[in-house]
Amino acid sequence: MSTNPAFTAPPVETTRPDLQGTFGMTASTHWIATATAQSVLERGGNAFDAAVAGAFVLHVVEPHLNGPGGDVTAVFATASDKTPTVLMGQGPAPAGATPEHFRAEGLDLVPGAGALAAAVPGAVDAWLLLLAEHGTWELADVLAPAIGYARDGHPVAPRVVATIATVQDLFRDHWPSSAEQWLPGGSVPTPGAIVRNEAWAGVLDRLVQAGSGVDAAGDATADARVARIEAARTEWAEGFVAQAIDAFVRAPHRHASGSDHAGVIRASDTAAFRASTEPATTAEFRGHTIAKTGPWGQGPALLQTLRLLDPLDDDRLDPSTVLGAHTIAEAQKLALADREAHYGERDVPMAELLSDAYSDERRALIGDRASHEFRSGSVSVAAGTLPPLRETYTPGGEPIAGVGEPTVPGARGDAVAAPAEDAPTAEDRGEPIVMETGETRGDTCHIDVVDRWGNIVSATPSGGWLQSSPTIPGLGFCLGTRLQMTWLEEGTASTLRPGARPRTTLTPTLVLRDGEPVVALGSPGGDQQDQWQLLYLLRTIVGGYSPQQAIDAPALHTTSFPGSFWPRTWTPGGLVVEDRLGDDVITGLEELGHVVTRAGDWSLGRLSCVTRDPDTGVMGAAANPRGAQGYAAGR
């Protein structure tokens, strides 16, 4: 496909090659996870075996971006069934997590760090479900790489070290179990040092052992393999892991609010949860079907944005021009306002929100100047009460430490603490901003796999990062903080409710053409995940860019909506851009009324993807160069 002349021509040279081959492809946010997944393909495993093996390695090598106590969503298709399907690994709020409880604790927002913010862990069970239903390998073989890296160690990445350095005082002063795990010998590890997590290796061993008694006769049938995985799922949800979590969180500990609280998650909460699969939510765009999660996640906002942009002239869809960047940002504001007003664990009329009539009505609101308003639309189901629209947030009269948008310190305004000495610089911000309190944004990783048979999966694991809450002794991991995406105010679309899923930002993408999967795509980055993926879709589907050209190209996103992460602020008219967009374009956007934050040349977006041409069987892969950690491999 040649580059569309209506689009800015991409550079001739890319930071990395566009990989192509006929055997299999993997891309992820860490080279060890990519190599692990690819090695599974090389040994006869399918894309699901490979993705699960790579995902458990991500728990070990990117512990600042995801963990076993977190969550995952994925979109996949199989060689025998091309229908896009969602893997739902988002756990619900515990039974004791009520707005009344939080207010009784003196809180008006769910804290950004601490076990009180924990939803029920969903990632491990979801990965085991995917392996049971669509994989071919035994659990012991799939978990072996992660067990090895956890027990024997791996060279720790510089950004893991930077995160540990940022929260080291929190660990020493308030979270001694985390200090024991992440400050070996009492000090921050150096980049490249061998870091181990023997407690987590022991947990994985016990999960394997839970199924070892199943079919002791040694019958190697598929049913016996699944039964062994199911035994591990039961052990995870109802056995020693659940009991250890329950016992540990009952002790009060420091939260991002600056106050001490006990967690409310109990063993009964973990026992009641099981991951599941469901049909994807889809929309058509320029001859392609885009598949996302349901509106319990933010994914359909990307579909709404594409519906707004679909009929526009091509020159209005180029993110590298003033007209294109402006049009894209204004469309995103409208879709994200609908996300805030309508999306959640409730009746969401997606058919109406994606309809021609509604899209036409909303598209008419895209004007010649940047909107500084919050403009959600009306459909047959009443919107939730609008959450507070705060530009700043100061709990208890004390300034908070950091109001930066995920991966971009300072992107939400001026009320931001000065960076620590070892914090990432302006040219090194492809990782999350982490505050000394443990508050984190952009805390996610991603993995894509496609195999020679046509199985394909895009998955975004997150949560349970080492800075989320104290490490649970004997388990080697901590809980997530996904409840910070809920509101304590009554009547919003995403008000905290026990047993209900918080509206997650995790939003992988599967693209189909003529009913055949052709791209698996995703990115870390909190509220930016779909904003950055939109740029990729526009540049590849409309602009004719190659995958690596699209990933390399300058990125931007709006902050003109309430953020999903504590402290839930917004910047009316806010637009964050990479400086590589160019002074002329940036000045032009400012002249249209956008409140522009320059984020450095290589700072926004951590996308990866795999591709497959159904006609030729040729597969491809591309990965993000920002942060020098993501990697693609294949042949």
Side-chain angles (χ1 to χ4, degrees):
M1 181 177 179
S2 59
T3 303
N4 187 335
F7 268 57
T8 303
V12 175
E13 298 293 330
T14 57
T15 59
R16 300 171 181 197
D18 277 288
L19 304 185
Q20 289 189 308
T22 57
F23 179 79
M25 292 283 168
T26 302
S28 84
T29 48
H30 196 290
W31 63 87
I32 293 180
T34 296
T36 297
Q38 190 65 23
S39 75
V40 172
L41 295 181
E42 297 288 348
R43 289 178 288 156
N46 69 14
F48 303 109
D49 301 316
V52 177
F56 276 92
V57 167
L58 284 173
H59 287 161
V60 178
V61 299
E62 290 193 324
H64 64 315
L65 300 176
N66 81 138
D71 28 56
V72 63
T73 66
V75 190
F76 65 90
T78 70
S80 59
D81 185 357
K82 310 297 185 182
T83 306
T85 302
V86 170
L87 175 68
M88 197 292 294
Q90 176 54 66
T98 65
E100 293 77 16
H101 178 81
F102 279 79
R103 294 196 183 283
E105 295 280 312
L107 301 168
D108 57 7
L109 282 175
V110 177
L116 189 56
V120 176
V124 169
D125 188 65
W127 286 119
L128 296 184
L129 172 64
L130 188 68
L131 180 65
E133 293 192 342
H134 298 291
T136 64
W137 276 25
E138 288 285 349
L139 179 62
D141 297 326
V142 168
L143 295 184
I147 292 172
Y149 284 120
R151 176 166 289 124
D152 301 329
H154 71 283
V156 65
R159 284 158 185 79
V160 181
V161 172
T163 301
I164 296 170
T166 300
V167 292
Q168 61 179 306
D169 290 339
L170 172 67
F171 286 4
R172 291 192 181 99
D173 297 341
H174 300 286
W175 296 358
S177 57
S178 294
E180 182 178 357
Q181 169 59 42
W182 300 111
L183 299 173
S187 60
V188 176
T190 57
I194 299 298
V195 170
R196 297 174 175 83
N197 191 338
E198 296 184 47
W200 176 233
V203 171
L204 294 177
D205 282 337
R206 292 180 68 175
L207 293 182
V208 172
Q209 292 165 6
S212 63
V214 176
D215 188 42
D219 180 6
T221 65
D223 287 345
R225 183 191 73 90
V226 171
R228 285 186 279 275
I229 297 171
E230 290 300 323
R233 293 181 70 192
T234 300
E235 180 62 37
W236 171 268
E238 303 176 16
F240 72 98
V241 173
Q243 298 300 324
I245 291 172
D246 187 318
F248 182 71
V249 302
R250 292 174 185 264
H253 54 273
R254 183 56 48 90
H255 282 56
S257 56
S259 47
D260 292 351
H261 308 276
V264 295
I265 190 170
R266 299 292 179 258
S268 56
D269 295 310
T270 60
F273 173 76
R274 291 295 187 278
S276 59
T277 58
E278 62 187 52
T281 302
T282 63
E284 301 302 309
F285 177 76
R286 300 291 183 98
H288 294 72
T289 301
I290 315 300
K292 304 293 290 183
T293 70
W296 49 267
Q298 70 168 328
L302 173 60
L303 305 182
Q304 286 192 247
T305 308
L306 290 169
R307 297 285 289 124
L308 294 174
L309 297 175
D310 195 356
L312 299 180
D313 292 340
D314 289 358
D315 62 355
R316 297 188 66 183
L317 305 185
D318 180 2
S320 295
T321 66
V322 175
L323 177 61
H326 168 74
T327 303
I328 291 164
E330 294 308 293
Q332 288 176 326
K333 292 174 190 177
L334 295 170
L336 289 164
D338 276 349
R339 181 198 78 169
E340 205 58 49
H342 296 287
Y343 292 13
E345 191 81 286
R346 67 196 299 265
D347 181 13
V348 183
M350 281 313 310
E352 286 185 67
L353 290 168
L354 294 172
S355 68
D356 289 344
Y358 185 76
S359 299
D360 291 346
E361 173 189 330
R362 297 286 281 163
R363 189 181 305 110
L365 297 176
I366 299 176
D368 295 332
R369 292 192 57 78
S371 171
H372 289 216
E373 300 177 64
F374 181 88
R375 299 181 293 177
S376 56
S378 299
V379 286
S380 60
V381 177
T385 302
L386 289 183
L389 296 176
R390 303 183 179 107
E391 295 182 44
T392 59
Y393 177 67
T394 308
E398 294 295 329
I400 64 168
V403 193
E405 177 65 8
T407 75
V408 191
R412 281 200 178 270
D414 298 326
V416 181
E421 289 183 5
D422 44 19
T425 66
E427 291 300 315
D428 189 18
R429 294 189 290 197
E431 288 289 298
I433 173 174
V434 179
M435 310 313 299
E436 292 85 349
T437 59
E439 177 204 345
T440 308
R441 324 263 174 64
D443 28 61
T444 310
C445 51
H446 187 78
I447 185 167
D448 305 294
V449 187
V450 61
D451 64 31
R452 62 189 184 275
W453 301 289
N455 300 299
I456 188 168
V457 57
S458 169
T460 308
S462 185
W465 343 287
L466 65 88
Q467 65 275 17
S468 297
S469 60
T471 299
I472 302 168
L475 299 185
F477 66 85
C478 61
L479 298 174
T481 60
R482 190 61 62 182
L483 295 189
Q484 68 179 293
M485 315 222 160
T486 64
W487 295 98
L488 300 182
E489 287 77 10
E490 290 299 326
T492 75
S494 53
T495 294
L496 175 64
R497 287 191 292 113
R501 291 170 294 185
R503 187 188 64 219
T504 181
T505 53
L506 306 182
T507 179
T509 300
L510 193 67
V511 181
L512 299 90
R513 187 177 64 241
D514 299 326
E516 292 279 347
V518 293
V519 180
L521 169 72
S523 174
D527 289 317
Q528 284 75 254
Q529 290 179 31
D530 275 334
Q531 298 198 60
W532 295 335
Q533 291 181 74
L534 172 68
L535 307 181
Y536 175 96
L537 295 173
L538 294 175
R539 283 174 167 137
T540 55
I541 294 174
V542 184
Y545 285 33
S546 74
Q548 192 63 52
Q549 286 173 336
I551 289 173
D552 284 357
L556 66 146
H557 63 262
T558 179
T559 55
S560 191
F561 60 96
S564 294
F565 292 81
W566 190 90
R568 314 300 303 272
T569 54
W570 79 313
T571 301
L575 186 66
V576 185
V577 303
E578 286 187 322
D579 291 46
R580 290 185 297 128
L581 202 58
D583 290 341
D584 290 346
V585 174
I586 294 172
T587 299
L589 291 168
E590 290 174 331
E591 290 174 348
L592 294 181
H594 294 278
V595 180
V596 176
T597 297
R598 292 175 178 249
D601 279 347
W602 294 89
S603 55
L604 307 181
R606 293 176 62 227
L607 285 79
S608 67
C609 72
V610 296
T611 65
R612 182 176 185 270
D613 185 335
D615 297 328
T616 65
V618 172
M619 290 166 279
N624 166 55
R626 301 163 180 85
Q629 194 162 300
Y631 210 76
R635 66 177 179 87

